[in-house]
Amino acid sequence: MPIEHTRLLFERLCRQIPPLVPDSIQKDMSNALEQVQDNVSLTLEELEDTVVSFGKKLWPYREAFLEFYRVYEGHMGETFLMQKMSPHLKKKYRLFKEMGGTFRDFHEGGTMDLFTSEDRVELCEFLVDVNREIWEYTVQKVLSTDRLQYEDRIKEFETIFEQVEKKIDALHTMADDEQEHPELAAEIREHIRGFEQGVSLLGPKVGFEALCEPDYFEGRRQEKKMLRHV
């Protein structure tokens, strides 16, 4: 991933900080962003390490917030979008709904064949606005009527991530001890890195079940030992 693209992803992570993230973390992120923007000698690996470190700190807040965001997106997204559409776009959208489509399908681009290139440009602008409005609406809700539930979910995700970190530490230890099979150690570290990048918006999400199965790598170790004696 080019370093400039990674910088942009870090900027996005810093812009989209959910409510109730401690001020100390926000201040550290702001300082780190300023440093990575000014540091021309920064390597891609160093930048990714910085993004991952903050991605982990934000993860419980982001996951909790996104749960509420998705609920309000489902409840309000279509209404917000329809308010922006011209009559001819509303007609096409209703046709899409009659064909069995949903707002989520529409949001993910599954309807583009129904629209002209001019329509698509307009719709993309609308969807950006809708996403922003839903984000702002969700912020208001989790700081008011949904605050207690939001705080509970943050705590629950913090507990989950504490367990995940223990699994990551165990995998790091396994990789460090894997002197006989350096390629397996590299595979373990790559697996960990893929998960960390997903947590930090640097890559696709990796499910916990894949990360939290050291037995898989133990099996790979035994397999390699057997191959050595064949």
Side-chain angles (χ1 to χ4, degrees), residues 105-155:
D105 296 331
F106 182 85
H107 196 285
E108 293 176 351
T111 64
M112 291 299 102
D113 290 344
L114 293 174
F115 299 94
T116 66
S117 57
E118 291 80 8
D119 291 339
R120 295 172 193 175
V121 171
E122 192 173 5
L123 288 169
C124 285
E125 293 175 354
F126 291 161
L127 287 173
V128 169
D129 288 341
V130 167
N131 290 341
R132 176 182 51 78
E133 290 168 2
I134 295 172
W135 183 281
E136 293 172 352
Y137 182 83
T138 307
V139 168
Q140 294 175 5
K141 297 295 286 185
V142 300
L143 290 177
S144 55
T145 56
D146 293 337
R147 180 161 185 148
L148 291 179
Q149 298 98 308
Y150 178 55
E151 290 176 342
D152 286 343
R153 289 302 285 154
I154 290 172
K155 292 175 183 176

Short mmCIF file of all heavy atoms in Angstrom, two decimals, residues 105-155:
data_model
loop_
_atom_site.label_atom_id
_atom_site.label_comp_id
_atom_site.label_asym_id
_atom_site.label_seq_id
_atom_site.Cartn_x
_atom_site.Cartn_y
_atom_site.Cartn_z
N ASP A 105 -28.80 -2.63 -0.53
CA ASP A 105 -28.35 -2.99 -1.88
C ASP A 105 -28.00 -1.74 -2.68
O ASP A 105 -26.98 -1.69 -3.37
CB ASP A 105 -29.45 -3.76 -2.63
CG ASP A 105 -29.79 -5.08 -1.97
OD1 ASP A 105 -28.90 -5.67 -1.34
OD2 ASP A 105 -30.96 -5.51 -2.09
N PHE A 106 -28.86 -0.76 -2.57
CA PHE A 106 -28.65 0.50 -3.29
C PHE A 106 -27.37 1.18 -2.83
O PHE A 106 -26.56 1.65 -3.64
CB PHE A 106 -29.85 1.42 -3.04
CG PHE A 106 -29.79 2.72 -3.77
CD1 PHE A 106 -30.24 2.81 -5.07
CD2 PHE A 106 -29.30 3.86 -3.15
CE1 PHE A 106 -30.19 4.03 -5.76
CE2 PHE A 106 -29.24 5.07 -3.82
CZ PHE A 106 -29.69 5.15 -5.13
N HIS A 107 -27.16 1.20 -1.52
CA HIS A 107 -25.99 1.85 -0.94
C HIS A 107 -24.71 1.17 -1.40
O HIS A 107 -23.67 1.83 -1.56
CB HIS A 107 -26.10 1.81 0.59
CG HIS A 107 -25.18 2.75 1.29
ND1 HIS A 107 -23.83 2.52 1.41
CD2 HIS A 107 -25.41 3.94 1.91
CE1 HIS A 107 -23.27 3.52 2.07
NE2 HIS A 107 -24.20 4.39 2.38
N GLU A 108 -24.77 -0.13 -1.64
CA GLU A 108 -23.58 -0.88 -2.03
C GLU A 108 -23.38 -0.92 -3.54
O GLU A 108 -22.50 -1.62 -4.04
CB GLU A 108 -23.66 -2.30 -1.46
CG GLU A 108 -23.57 -2.32 0.06
CD GLU A 108 -23.75 -3.70 0.64
OE1 GLU A 108 -24.10 -4.63 -0.15
OE2 GLU A 108 -23.54 -3.87 1.85
N GLY A 109 -24.21 -0.17 -4.28
CA GLY A 109 -23.99 -0.02 -5.71
C GLY A 109 -24.61 -1.10 -6.57
O GLY A 109 -24.26 -1.23 -7.74
N GLY A 110 -25.57 -1.83 -6.02
CA GLY A 110 -26.16 -2.92 -6.78
C GLY A 110 -27.23 -2.49 -7.77
O GLY A 110 -27.85 -3.32 -8.41
N THR A 111 -27.44 -1.19 -7.91
CA THR A 111 -28.55 -0.71 -8.75
C THR A 111 -28.08 0.17 -9.90
O THR A 111 -28.89 0.77 -10.58
CB THR A 111 -29.50 0.13 -7.89
OG1 THR A 111 -28.79 1.28 -7.43
CG2 THR A 111 -29.99 -0.64 -6.70
N MET A 112 -26.80 0.25 -10.10
CA MET A 112 -26.28 1.26 -11.02
C MET A 112 -26.75 1.08 -12.47
O MET A 112 -26.76 2.04 -13.24
CB MET A 112 -24.75 1.27 -10.97
CG MET A 112 -24.20 1.81 -9.64
SD MET A 112 -24.66 3.53 -9.28
CE MET A 112 -25.98 3.33 -8.09
N ASP A 113 -27.14 -0.11 -12.86
CA ASP A 113 -27.60 -0.32 -14.23
C ASP A 113 -28.88 0.45 -14.53
O ASP A 113 -29.20 0.70 -15.69
CB ASP A 113 -27.84 -1.82 -14.49
CG ASP A 113 -26.54 -2.60 -14.53
OD1 ASP A 113 -25.48 -1.96 -14.66
OD2 ASP A 113 -26.59 -3.84 -14.41
N LEU A 114 -29.61 0.81 -13.51
CA LEU A 114 -30.87 1.53 -13.70
C LEU A 114 -30.66 3.02 -13.95
O LEU A 114 -31.59 3.71 -14.34
CB LEU A 114 -31.77 1.36 -12.46
CG LEU A 114 -32.31 -0.05 -12.19
CD1 LEU A 114 -33.04 -0.06 -10.85
CD2 LEU A 114 -33.25 -0.48 -13.30
N PHE A 115 -29.44 3.50 -13.73
CA PHE A 115 -29.21 4.93 -13.75
C PHE A 115 -28.17 5.33 -14.80
O PHE A 115 -27.26 4.57 -15.11
CB PHE A 115 -28.74 5.41 -12.37
CG PHE A 115 -29.73 5.15 -11.28
CD1 PHE A 115 -29.67 3.99 -10.51
CD2 PHE A 115 -30.75 6.05 -11.03
CE1 PHE A 115 -30.58 3.75 -9.51
CE2 PHE A 115 -31.68 5.82 -10.03
CZ PHE A 115 -31.60 4.66 -9.27
N THR A 116 -28.33 6.53 -15.32
CA THR A 116 -27.36 7.07 -16.27
C THR A 116 -26.11 7.51 -15.53
O THR A 116 -26.09 7.58 -14.29
CB THR A 116 -27.95 8.28 -17.01
OG1 THR A 116 -28.15 9.34 -16.06
CG2 THR A 116 -29.28 7.94 -17.67
N SER A 117 -25.06 7.81 -16.28
CA SER A 117 -23.81 8.27 -15.65
C SER A 117 -24.04 9.57 -14.88
O SER A 117 -23.46 9.78 -13.81
CB SER A 117 -22.72 8.45 -16.70
OG SER A 117 -23.13 9.36 -17.70
N GLU A 118 -24.91 10.44 -15.43
CA GLU A 118 -25.22 11.69 -14.72
C GLU A 118 -25.96 11.40 -13.42
O GLU A 118 -25.71 12.04 -12.38
CB GLU A 118 -26.07 12.61 -15.61
CG GLU A 118 -25.34 13.19 -16.81
CD GLU A 118 -25.25 12.20 -17.97
OE1 GLU A 118 -25.89 11.11 -17.88
OE2 GLU A 118 -24.54 12.50 -18.95
N ASP A 119 -26.88 10.44 -13.48
CA ASP A 119 -27.60 10.04 -12.27
C ASP A 119 -26.63 9.55 -11.20
O ASP A 119 -26.76 9.88 -10.02
CB ASP A 119 -28.60 8.92 -12.57
CG ASP A 119 -29.77 9.36 -13.42
OD1 ASP A 119 -30.04 10.57 -13.47
OD2 ASP A 119 -30.40 8.48 -14.05
N ARG A 120 -25.67 8.76 -11.63
CA ARG A 120 -24.74 8.14 -10.68
C ARG A 120 -23.90 9.18 -9.96
O ARG A 120 -23.65 9.06 -8.76
CB ARG A 120 -23.83 7.15 -11.41
CG ARG A 120 -24.58 5.96 -11.99
CD ARG A 120 -23.67 5.11 -12.85
NE ARG A 120 -24.43 4.15 -13.65
CZ ARG A 120 -23.91 3.36 -14.56
NH1 ARG A 120 -22.60 3.42 -14.81
NH2 ARG A 120 -24.66 2.52 -15.23
N VAL A 121 -23.45 10.19 -10.70
CA VAL A 121 -22.68 11.26 -10.07
C VAL A 121 -23.51 11.94 -8.99
O VAL A 121 -23.05 12.18 -7.87
CB VAL A 121 -22.21 12.29 -11.12
CG1 VAL A 121 -21.60 13.51 -10.43
CG2 VAL A 121 -21.21 11.65 -12.08
N GLU A 122 -24.75 12.23 -9.33
CA GLU A 122 -25.65 12.90 -8.39
C GLU A 122 -25.93 12.02 -7.18
O GLU A 122 -25.90 12.48 -6.03
CB GLU A 122 -26.96 13.26 -9.10
CG GLU A 122 -27.85 14.21 -8.33
CD GLU A 122 -29.05 14.66 -9.16
OE1 GLU A 122 -29.22 14.16 -10.30
OE2 GLU A 122 -29.81 15.51 -8.66
N LEU A 123 -26.16 10.73 -7.43
CA LEU A 123 -26.47 9.81 -6.35
C LEU A 123 -25.29 9.61 -5.41
O LEU A 123 -25.46 9.50 -4.19
CB LEU A 123 -26.92 8.46 -6.91
CG LEU A 123 -28.31 8.45 -7.56
CD1 LEU A 123 -28.53 7.14 -8.31
CD2 LEU A 123 -29.39 8.64 -6.50
N CYS A 124 -24.09 9.57 -5.96
CA CYS A 124 -22.90 9.42 -5.12
C CYS A 124 -22.77 10.60 -4.16
O CYS A 124 -22.43 10.43 -2.98
CB CYS A 124 -21.64 9.30 -5.98
SG CYS A 124 -21.45 7.69 -6.78
N GLU A 125 -23.04 11.80 -4.67
CA GLU A 125 -23.00 12.98 -3.81
C GLU A 125 -24.06 12.89 -2.72
O GLU A 125 -23.80 13.23 -1.55
CB GLU A 125 -23.21 14.24 -4.65
CG GLU A 125 -22.07 14.52 -5.63
CD GLU A 125 -22.36 15.71 -6.52
OE1 GLU A 125 -23.50 16.25 -6.45
OE2 GLU A 125 -21.47 16.12 -7.29
N PHE A 126 -25.24 12.41 -3.09
CA PHE A 126 -26.31 12.26 -2.11
C PHE A 126 -25.92 11.27 -1.02
O PHE A 126 -26.16 11.51 0.18
CB PHE A 126 -27.60 11.79 -2.79
CG PHE A 126 -28.25 12.81 -3.69
CD1 PHE A 126 -29.17 12.42 -4.65
CD2 PHE A 126 -27.94 14.15 -3.57
CE1 PHE A 126 -29.77 13.35 -5.48
CE2 PHE A 126 -28.54 15.10 -4.40
CZ PHE A 126 -29.46 14.69 -5.36
N LEU A 127 -25.34 10.14 -1.43
CA LEU A 127 -24.99 9.11 -0.45
C LEU A 127 -23.91 9.58 0.51
O LEU A 127 -23.92 9.22 1.69
CB LEU A 127 -24.55 7.83 -1.18
CG LEU A 127 -25.69 7.05 -1.86
CD1 LEU A 127 -25.12 5.91 -2.68
CD2 LEU A 127 -26.68 6.51 -0.82
N VAL A 128 -22.97 10.37 0.01
CA VAL A 128 -21.95 10.95 0.90
C VAL A 128 -22.63 11.83 1.94
O VAL A 128 -22.30 11.76 3.14
CB VAL A 128 -20.92 11.76 0.09
CG1 VAL A 128 -20.03 12.58 1.02
CG2 VAL A 128 -20.06 10.83 -0.77
N ASP A 129 -23.58 12.64 1.49
CA ASP A 129 -24.31 13.51 2.42
C ASP A 129 -25.13 12.70 3.41
O ASP A 129 -25.19 13.02 4.61
CB ASP A 129 -25.23 14.46 1.64
CG ASP A 129 -24.47 15.54 0.90
OD1 ASP A 129 -23.30 15.79 1.25
OD2 ASP A 129 -25.04 16.13 -0.04
N VAL A 130 -25.77 11.64 2.92
CA VAL A 130 -26.59 10.79 3.79
C VAL A 130 -25.72 10.14 4.87
O VAL A 130 -26.08 10.10 6.05
CB VAL A 130 -27.33 9.71 2.97
CG1 VAL A 130 -27.92 8.64 3.89
CG2 VAL A 130 -28.43 10.35 2.13
N ASN A 131 -24.56 9.63 4.46
CA ASN A 131 -23.65 9.01 5.44
C ASN A 131 -23.26 10.00 6.53
O ASN A 131 -23.22 9.66 7.72
CB ASN A 131 -22.40 8.49 4.74
CG ASN A 131 -22.67 7.28 3.86
OD1 ASN A 131 -23.69 6.61 4.02
ND2 ASN A 131 -21.78 7.01 2.93
N ARG A 132 -22.95 11.22 6.11
CA ARG A 132 -22.56 12.25 7.08
C ARG A 132 -23.72 12.58 8.02
O ARG A 132 -23.53 12.71 9.24
CB ARG A 132 -22.10 13.51 6.34
CG ARG A 132 -21.77 14.69 7.26
CD ARG A 132 -21.36 15.91 6.46
NE ARG A 132 -22.32 16.24 5.42
CZ ARG A 132 -23.48 16.85 5.64
NH1 ARG A 132 -23.83 17.19 6.87
NH2 ARG A 132 -24.29 17.12 4.63
N GLU A 133 -24.92 12.69 7.46
CA GLU A 133 -26.08 13.04 8.28
C GLU A 133 -26.42 11.93 9.27
O GLU A 133 -26.79 12.20 10.42
CB GLU A 133 -27.28 13.33 7.37
CG GLU A 133 -27.12 14.62 6.57
CD GLU A 133 -28.16 14.77 5.47
OE1 GLU A 133 -29.03 13.88 5.35
OE2 GLU A 133 -28.10 15.76 4.72
N ILE A 134 -26.29 10.68 8.83
CA ILE A 134 -26.57 9.56 9.74
C ILE A 134 -25.51 9.51 10.84
O ILE A 134 -25.82 9.24 12.00
CB ILE A 134 -26.61 8.22 8.97
CG1 ILE A 134 -27.78 8.21 7.99
CG2 ILE A 134 -26.74 7.04 9.93
CD1 ILE A 134 -27.79 7.02 7.06
N TRP A 135 -24.25 9.77 10.47
CA TRP A 135 -23.18 9.80 11.47
C TRP A 135 -23.50 10.87 12.53
O TRP A 135 -23.43 10.60 13.73
CB TRP A 135 -21.85 10.10 10.80
CG TRP A 135 -20.67 10.10 11.75
CD1 TRP A 135 -20.30 11.10 12.60
CD2 TRP A 135 -19.73 9.04 11.95
NE1 TRP A 135 -19.18 10.74 13.32
CE2 TRP A 135 -18.81 9.47 12.94
CE3 TRP A 135 -19.57 7.77 11.38
CZ2 TRP A 135 -17.75 8.68 13.37
CZ3 TRP A 135 -18.50 6.98 11.82
CH2 TRP A 135 -17.61 7.44 12.80
N GLU A 136 -23.86 12.07 12.07
CA GLU A 136 -24.16 13.16 13.00
C GLU A 136 -25.38 12.83 13.85
O GLU A 136 -25.41 13.14 15.06
CB GLU A 136 -24.38 14.46 12.22
CG GLU A 136 -23.12 14.97 11.53
CD GLU A 136 -23.38 16.13 10.59
OE1 GLU A 136 -24.58 16.44 10.35
OE2 GLU A 136 -22.41 16.72 10.08
N TYR A 137 -26.38 12.23 13.24
CA TYR A 137 -27.59 11.84 13.98
C TYR A 137 -27.25 10.80 15.05
O TYR A 137 -27.71 10.89 16.20
CB TYR A 137 -28.63 11.29 13.01
CG TYR A 137 -29.94 10.91 13.65
CD1 TYR A 137 -30.92 11.87 13.89
CD2 TYR A 137 -30.21 9.59 14.01
CE1 TYR A 137 -32.13 11.52 14.48
CE2 TYR A 137 -31.41 9.24 14.59
CZ TYR A 137 -32.37 10.20 14.83
OH TYR A 137 -33.57 9.86 15.41
N THR A 138 -26.42 9.83 14.68
CA THR A 138 -26.03 8.78 15.63
C THR A 138 -25.22 9.35 16.77
O THR A 138 -25.39 8.94 17.93
CB THR A 138 -25.22 7.68 14.91
OG1 THR A 138 -25.95 7.21 13.77
CG2 THR A 138 -24.96 6.50 15.84
N VAL A 139 -24.35 10.31 16.48
CA VAL A 139 -23.58 10.97 17.54
C VAL A 139 -24.52 11.60 18.55
O VAL A 139 -24.35 11.45 19.78
CB VAL A 139 -22.63 12.04 16.94
CG1 VAL A 139 -22.07 12.93 18.05
CG2 VAL A 139 -21.50 11.38 16.17
N GLN A 140 -25.53 12.30 18.06
CA GLN A 140 -26.50 12.93 18.96
C GLN A 140 -27.20 11.89 19.84
O GLN A 140 -27.39 12.10 21.04
CB GLN A 140 -27.53 13.71 18.15
CG GLN A 140 -26.97 14.92 17.41
CD GLN A 140 -28.01 15.59 16.54
OE1 GLN A 140 -29.19 15.23 16.56
NE2 GLN A 140 -27.59 16.57 15.77
N LYS A 141 -27.57 10.77 19.23
CA LYS A 141 -28.32 9.75 19.97
C LYS A 141 -27.46 9.06 21.04
O LYS A 141 -27.94 8.83 22.15
CB LYS A 141 -28.88 8.71 19.00
CG LYS A 141 -29.88 9.26 17.99
CD LYS A 141 -31.14 9.78 18.67
CE LYS A 141 -32.02 8.65 19.16
NZ LYS A 141 -33.30 9.15 19.71
N VAL A 142 -26.21 8.73 20.69
CA VAL A 142 -25.39 8.00 21.67
C VAL A 142 -24.89 8.92 22.78
O VAL A 142 -24.37 8.44 23.80
CB VAL A 142 -24.19 7.29 21.01
CG1 VAL A 142 -24.67 6.28 19.98
CG2 VAL A 142 -23.20 8.28 20.40
N LEU A 143 -25.04 10.22 22.59
CA LEU A 143 -24.70 11.17 23.65
C LEU A 143 -25.92 11.61 24.45
O LEU A 143 -25.80 12.42 25.36
CB LEU A 143 -23.99 12.39 23.06
CG LEU A 143 -22.58 12.15 22.53
CD1 LEU A 143 -22.01 13.42 21.90
CD2 LEU A 143 -21.65 11.64 23.62
N SER A 144 -27.08 11.06 24.09
CA SER A 144 -28.30 11.44 24.80
C SER A 144 -29.10 10.19 25.18
O SER A 144 -28.75 9.50 26.14
CB SER A 144 -29.13 12.41 23.95
OG SER A 144 -29.41 11.85 22.67
N THR A 145 -30.12 9.87 24.41
CA THR A 145 -31.03 8.78 24.79
C THR A 145 -30.38 7.40 24.78
O THR A 145 -30.81 6.51 25.51
CB THR A 145 -32.26 8.77 23.87
OG1 THR A 145 -31.82 8.66 22.50
CG2 THR A 145 -33.07 10.04 24.03
N ASP A 146 -29.36 7.21 23.94
CA ASP A 146 -28.72 5.89 23.83
C ASP A 146 -27.41 5.80 24.61
O ASP A 146 -26.68 4.82 24.47
CB ASP A 146 -28.43 5.56 22.36
CG ASP A 146 -29.69 5.34 21.55
OD1 ASP A 146 -30.73 5.02 22.15
OD2 ASP A 146 -29.63 5.51 20.31
N ARG A 147 -27.13 6.80 25.42
CA ARG A 147 -25.79 6.88 26.02
C ARG A 147 -25.46 5.67 26.90
O ARG A 147 -24.36 5.11 26.80
CB ARG A 147 -25.64 8.16 26.83
CG ARG A 147 -24.26 8.28 27.47
CD ARG A 147 -23.92 9.68 27.88
NE ARG A 147 -22.56 9.78 28.38
CZ ARG A 147 -21.80 10.84 28.25
NH1 ARG A 147 -22.25 11.90 27.61
NH2 ARG A 147 -20.57 10.86 28.75
N LEU A 148 -26.36 5.27 27.76
CA LEU A 148 -26.07 4.16 28.67
C LEU A 148 -25.81 2.87 27.89
O LEU A 148 -24.86 2.13 28.20
CB LEU A 148 -27.21 3.97 29.66
CG LEU A 148 -27.38 5.08 30.71
CD1 LEU A 148 -28.57 4.77 31.61
CD2 LEU A 148 -26.11 5.24 31.53
N GLN A 149 -26.64 2.61 26.88
CA GLN A 149 -26.44 1.41 26.07
C GLN A 149 -25.11 1.48 25.31
O GLN A 149 -24.40 0.48 25.17
CB GLN A 149 -27.59 1.22 25.07
CG GLN A 149 -28.95 1.03 25.73
CD GLN A 149 -29.74 2.32 25.78
OE1 GLN A 149 -29.24 3.35 26.25
NE2 GLN A 149 -30.96 2.27 25.28
N TYR A 150 -24.80 2.67 24.82
CA TYR A 150 -23.54 2.86 24.09
C TYR A 150 -22.34 2.62 25.00
O TYR A 150 -21.39 1.91 24.63
CB TYR A 150 -23.51 4.28 23.53
CG TYR A 150 -22.25 4.67 22.79
CD1 TYR A 150 -21.77 3.92 21.73
CD2 TYR A 150 -21.55 5.83 23.15
CE1 TYR A 150 -20.61 4.29 21.04
CE2 TYR A 150 -20.40 6.21 22.47
CZ TYR A 150 -19.94 5.44 21.42
OH TYR A 150 -18.80 5.82 20.75
N GLU A 151 -22.39 3.17 26.21
CA GLU A 151 -21.29 2.96 27.16
C GLU A 151 -21.14 1.48 27.51
O GLU A 151 -20.01 0.98 27.64
CB GLU A 151 -21.53 3.79 28.42
CG GLU A 151 -21.39 5.29 28.20
CD GLU A 151 -21.72 6.10 29.45
OE1 GLU A 151 -22.39 5.54 30.35
OE2 GLU A 151 -21.32 7.27 29.52
N ASP A 152 -22.27 0.79 27.65
CA ASP A 152 -22.21 -0.65 27.96
C ASP A 152 -21.54 -1.42 26.83
O ASP A 152 -20.73 -2.33 27.07
CB ASP A 152 -23.62 -1.20 28.20
CG ASP A 152 -24.19 -0.77 29.54
OD1 ASP A 152 -23.40 -0.34 30.41
OD2 ASP A 152 -25.42 -0.87 29.72
N ARG A 153 -21.89 -1.07 25.59
CA ARG A 153 -21.30 -1.78 24.45
C ARG A 153 -19.80 -1.49 24.33
O ARG A 153 -19.03 -2.38 23.97
CB ARG A 153 -22.02 -1.38 23.15
CG ARG A 153 -23.42 -1.92 23.04
CD ARG A 153 -23.44 -3.44 23.15
NE ARG A 153 -22.96 -4.09 21.93
CZ ARG A 153 -22.43 -5.30 21.91
NH1 ARG A 153 -22.25 -5.99 23.03
NH2 ARG A 153 -22.04 -5.83 20.75
N ILE A 154 -19.39 -0.27 24.65
CA ILE A 154 -17.96 0.05 24.64
C ILE A 154 -17.23 -0.87 25.62
O ILE A 154 -16.19 -1.46 25.30
CB ILE A 154 -17.72 1.53 25.01
CG1 ILE A 154 -18.21 2.44 23.88
CG2 ILE A 154 -16.22 1.77 25.26
CD1 ILE A 154 -18.18 3.92 24.25
N LYS A 155 -17.77 -0.99 26.82
CA LYS A 155 -17.14 -1.85 27.84
C LYS A 155 -17.08 -3.30 27.37
O LYS A 155 -16.08 -3.99 27.58
CB LYS A 155 -17.91 -1.74 29.15
CG LYS A 155 -17.81 -0.38 29.82
CD LYS A 155 -18.69 -0.31 31.07
CE LYS A 155 -18.64 1.07 31.69
NZ LYS A 155 -19.56 1.19 32.86
#
